[in-house]
Amino acid sequence: MEEETSMPVQLSTMGSPWASGWQADFMASLLLVLLRHVLMAGGLQVEMAGTTQMVFLHDNVTIACKIPGSPRLDIKTVGIIWFGKNELDDSEVKVFEFYGNHLESFRPGAMVSLSGLESGDASLHLPKVQLGEAGEYRCMLVVTPEKAEGKTILEVVANPTIRLFVKPASVRNDEEKHIICELYGFYPEAVSIKWGKYTLKDSQFQEITEGNITHPTVKNDDGTFNVTSCLTLKPSLEDHGTTYQCVVLHRSLLVPRRHNVTLSEKGAKDVHFAFLAFSLLLLPAAYVLWRCIPG
């Protein structure tokens, strides 16, 4: 009796409606899983004003921290904590916090608007900022069950008050004149002072690189700085009517600040008057000498 040989039977699902449906369902499920993963990875996000935000000393500042799109939030599910890290110190401290029925300002006047928080705005308001408050600020926002945070650097600066004047010549050194450029109450310490001039003959700015000295900065009790720069002039007829300029460059200034002083022409007039007086004194002597000469 011959043995029957059983052959493996291959079932083909190509073109089968059942197989096509199963593959479509599988791909859809996979796509949903990937999409959920992407959404969870992105999660809650906050936007800051930038990596660095500048404020002038004693001014009020609002450090931005917002959820994109201004969503409407249930404030019962929202919490916010602001941290500050001084630029001279690595330790971090709380500045403000709110969650549930708890609200606390660790820095006097620090505040986050609760009405703004309902629309996703967790920005921190600080009144009358001091130099010691410069540094890194961190916004940690919780919208249950998600959390997001952002950081920004707060830079505090102070504009220099500038005074430019001509120092009267001393009795011992009446041949020299000194133009003084004084700067008061600026911050940070780094500052650049340049000198230049415009003459009556040449209206082009000419930088002066000799005869000027900028003294070391002096620190004030409030942390700001003062500095004095002096330009020494050897007087000449060309100096009279010349405009001298003190140019100040500082972090707090968007453009260099320029202060001018023009030397009066009084000195030149005195010279001309002296020459005229001397000529008038010579006239009688010349007349007498002319009369004494035999004709």
Side-chain angles (χ1 to χ4, degrees), residues 79-271:
I80 176 69
I81 304 178
W82 274 97
F83 299 91
K85 184 188 293 185
N86 189 283
E87 61 183 359
L88 302 177
D89 191 340
D90 228 14
S91 61
E92 191 177 55
V93 297
K94 286 183 181 180
V95 180
F96 175 89
E97 69 179 5
F98 166 79
Y99 52 86
N101 295 321
H102 173 77
L103 185 153
E104 186 171 0
S105 297
F106 299 91
R107 187 271 198 197
M111 184 55 61
V112 172
S113 168
L114 298 187
S115 60
L117 201 56
E118 291 179 343
S119 59
D121 186 353
S123 301
L124 176 68
H125 177 73
L126 298 175
K128 298 182 179 179
V129 174
Q130 304 299 309
L131 294 178
E133 294 182 289
E136 181 184 86
Y137 284 78
R138 180 164 65 98
C139 163
M140 187 174 74
L141 181 65
V142 175
V143 180
T144 306
E146 296 180 286
K147 180 179 75 172
E149 66 176 49
K151 298 179 181 178
T152 191
I153 301 296
L154 186 66
E155 182 180 5
V156 183
V157 299
N159 275 328
T161 298
I162 303 173
R163 179 171 173 249
L164 183 66
F165 62 95
V166 179
K167 184 179 180 181
S170 63
V171 176
R172 292 182 181 180
N173 199 14
D174 56 359
E175 292 185 355
E176 291 184 346
K177 286 187 177 180
H178 302 278
I179 303 178
I180 309 298
C181 188
E182 294 179 336
L183 279 63
Y184 300 98
F186 60 89
Y187 188 89
E189 182 179 6
V191 67
S192 175
I193 301 176
K194 297 181 180 181
W195 289 92
K197 68 177 182 178
Y198 304 91
T199 65
L200 295 174
K201 296 179 180 178
D202 188 356
S203 60
Q204 289 285 349
F205 177 80
Q206 306 169 45
E207 186 173 351
I208 301 173
T209 57
E210 297 181 356
N212 60 85
I213 298 176
T214 298
H215 299 283
T217 56
V218 177
K219 191 173 184 178
N220 300 313
D221 293 338
D222 64 353
T224 62
F225 295 90
N226 302 338
V227 73
T228 299
S229 185
C230 177
L231 177 65
T232 301
L233 304 176
K234 297 288 186 180
S236 66
L237 289 178
E238 293 182 359
D239 288 333
H240 301 291
T242 299
T243 297
Y244 290 90
Q245 187 174 88
C246 174
V247 184
V248 177
L249 295 89
H250 187 254
R251 180 73 178 91
S252 65
L253 304 174
L254 295 177
V255 296
R257 188 171 292 177
R258 303 172 184 270
H259 286 247
N260 298 335
V261 62
T262 302
L263 297 186
S264 67
E265 298 183 21
K266 181 177 181 295
K269 292 178 180 178
D270 290 345
V271 172

Side-chain angles (χ1 to χ4, degrees), residues 17-31:
W18 174 85
S20 298
W22 179 84
Q23 289 176 350
D25 291 341
F26 175 78
M27 292 302 296
S29 299
L30 180 61
L31 184 60

